[in-house]
Amino acid sequence: MEDDPGLAVLFRKNLERAGYSVDIANDSGKGLSMAETGSYDIVAVDHKMPFYSGLDVIRILSAKNNCPPLIMITGTGSEEIAVEAMKTGAADYIIKDPDGYYLELLPSLIEKVLNRQKIMEEKNRAEAALRESEEKHRNLVERANDGIAIVMDGLIKFVNRRIEMISGYSREELIGRPFEE
């Protein structure tokens, strides 16, 4: 989302040279519409734009599920803006410099953000798989016909339902007690 037509052309050309496909929105209203109807791997947002500011756009998009990573592009170089952008959901930010060097840095920044996103998605999948596995094992242990207890350092740490039935004691009465008792 870039409202300066000249910068938008430079932005597009530079990123296309780096192998990216780029859509440009010249204002935040059009950009929000494109983000809601399209499928984007990343969204770069200029700080100062017509309709909504870049911070407003980041707040709006971050509130939605499955929001792509957002990069704030600001010409002011204010630390406050950068911090606010990160707090509201931006994955990163870059400052426009007068010489346009930021355009050369942008592809590597995008790659860094996309790699971080990929790592987070892989981590979330692994955590979900672990939770599912733990739930399956928990159900298996709870439904076992055999009594199962976990004892550490001589103290009962866990018992399944079958142990409660065999012993006549509740979990609360057994857990934390010495196993020898």
Side-chain angles (χ1 to χ4, degrees), residues 137-148:
H137 286 98
R138 188 175 296 110
N139 285 334
L140 179 68
V141 168
E142 282 297 331
R143 295 179 181 171
N145 284 329
D146 295 326
I148 299 174

Side-chain angles (χ1 to χ4, degrees), residues 39-82:
S39 175
Y40 295 98
D41 294 325
I42 201 157
V43 175
V45 182
D46 188 17
H47 172 58
K48 292 189 178 182
M49 290 185 299
F51 302 115
Y52 299 103
S53 74
L55 290 173
D56 290 335
V57 168
I58 290 171
R59 279 187 197 95
I60 292 166
L61 291 177
S62 293
K64 299 184 183 301
N65 290 335
N66 299 322
C67 172
L70 304 163
I71 296 177
M72 167 65 80
I73 301 174
T74 178
T76 58
S78 163
E79 287 181 21
E80 291 82 22
I81 292 170

Side-chain angles (χ1 to χ4, degrees), residues 114-169:
L114 290 174
N115 284 336
R116 195 173 4 174
Q117 178 76 11
K118 181 180 174 186
I119 289 168
M120 288 304 296
E121 288 170 357
E122 289 171 357
K123 177 182 175 255
N124 291 341
R125 279 193 297 275
E127 287 174 347
L130 178 61
R131 281 191 300 274
E132 182 180 336
S133 176
E134 287 174 343
E135 185 62 29
K136 285 179 183 177
H137 286 98
R138 188 175 296 110
N139 285 334
L140 179 68
V141 168
E142 282 297 331
R143 295 179 181 171
N145 284 329
D146 295 326
I148 299 174
I150 296 176
V151 178
M152 292 176 58
D153 299 326
L155 298 177
I156 299 171
K157 298 293 182 178
F158 169 84
V159 294
N160 68 350
R161 290 182 193 149
R162 188 70 178 147
I163 289 282
E164 287 181 294
M165 292 171 57
I166 293 169
S167 70
Y169 293 100

